[in-house]
Every structure is written in structure tokens, then in C-alpha cells.
Amino acid sequence: MRPTALDWSVENCTIARAMEILGEKWTLVVLREVSNGIRRFDDMRVRTGIPRQVLTNRLASLVAQGVLRREPYREPGSRVRHEYRLTEKGLDLWPVLVAVLGWGDRYLADPDGSPVSVGHRDCGAEVRVELHCDRGHRVASPRDVVPRPGPGARRRVD
């Protein structure tokens, strides 16, 4: 049986476009650090071990994509430097990071557990990502979801 998804073009796939921005390990590490309040280049480099040029490139790319913005700061007696802050576009990636964290905790954590958790600021409870449909129903399993052509779908031309 031929999958119907073969009838749709993937030329304008938003997953592929997102992965062009996010699909490299160090990019998600940078986003993790900025989300955790580590916003300065030297702090990120020391904490993560990202090679200087790789970090420079990732930060520049995330700024160019509008995921991060640069904010100037100056330590007394030093030149002006920049720290990196999440933009609205960057903040919208938070559920992605929480989902990756949850998956990693489930399948890759050390026997002692994860070194980090995320909690709800108001009540302290653990935060996790759940899927819901537009009518508010909780999606319990990926098997309860069906991919289908969206409004931007294009018929595949062979």
C-alpha cells in the first residue's frame, strides 16, 4: 500500500526549515544556556566547552535568525561587550527544549537522574510538554495523531 504522504511535496516543509536553524547539537546547547540565564560568551564557552569559533558562529546565526538579540553591557574598566537574550521567537522554542529534556530524561539520564529539572514558578510542580488538539483534548499517544496536508501543502509533481 502506497503512503498518501508521497502525494505531498516536502519542498516547503517547516520541519526541514526549522532544522536548518536548530539541527546542530551546539545550537540547542546555546539555547539551553541562554534559557538557564547564562548569557555571556565567556560564561557559555567555559561552561559548555564549545570551541570559540563554533560558539561565535552559533550565536551569530541565532541573532541573524531573530532567535537571540544582543544586549550591550560593560564591566567597570572594560570595553563594551554583549550578552545574548531570547527574543519572542526564541522564547517560543522553550517547549521544544522541555520536550527534548523530557525525552533525554526518559531514555538517556544517568542512574541518579537528570542534572536539571524545570518547575512551574507559581506552584513548583514539574513542567512537561503535552499535546492537545485545538478543541482541548489531551493527545495521549503519538498513535492518536494523523499527519495530513496543511493549508500550504502542495501536490508533488514528478
Side-chain angles (χ1 to χ4, degrees), residues 25-158:
K25 168 189 167 180
W26 293 122
T27 300
L28 291 181
V29 170
V30 167
L31 292 172
R32 176 197 70 196
E33 293 305 303
V34 175
S35 296
N36 287 336
I38 310 299
R39 298 184 179 106
R40 296 181 178 180
F41 183 94
D42 288 335
D43 293 338
M44 272 187 245
R45 194 176 57 73
V46 168
R47 181 171 155 94
T48 63
I50 300 174
R52 179 177 291 280
Q53 192 59 51
V54 172
L55 181 55
T56 298
N57 294 345
R58 293 307 166 270
L59 289 168
S61 175
L62 290 168
V63 168
Q65 290 293 333
V67 174
L68 296 177
R69 72 177 190 277
R70 291 172 42 148
E71 291 287 326
Y73 74 92
R74 173 180 264 164
E75 296 287 340
S78 296
R79 66 179 171 85
V80 172
R81 299 181 127 184
H82 292 90
E83 61 181 25
Y84 297 87
R85 303 277 179 150
L86 293 165
T87 62
E88 196 66 31
K89 189 176 182 179
L91 286 167
D92 281 347
L93 287 168
W94 182 242
V96 174
L97 293 175
V98 173
V100 171
L101 173 65
W103 185 85
D105 286 353
R106 182 170 180 176
Y107 296 107
L108 305 170
D110 289 344
D112 293 340
S114 180
V116 68
S117 67
V118 290
H120 185 217
R121 188 181 306 271
D122 288 346
C123 72
E126 287 291 311
V127 172
R128 65 181 183 282
V129 173
E130 291 185 352
L131 298 178
H132 294 83
C133 73
D134 282 346
R135 293 187 181 161
H137 305 117
R138 182 174 179 269
V139 177
S141 166
R143 296 190 192 313
D144 296 334
V145 177
V146 59
R148 59 184 185 205
R154 298 179 186 148
R155 284 276 225 198
R156 185 178 157 164
V157 179
D158 290 324

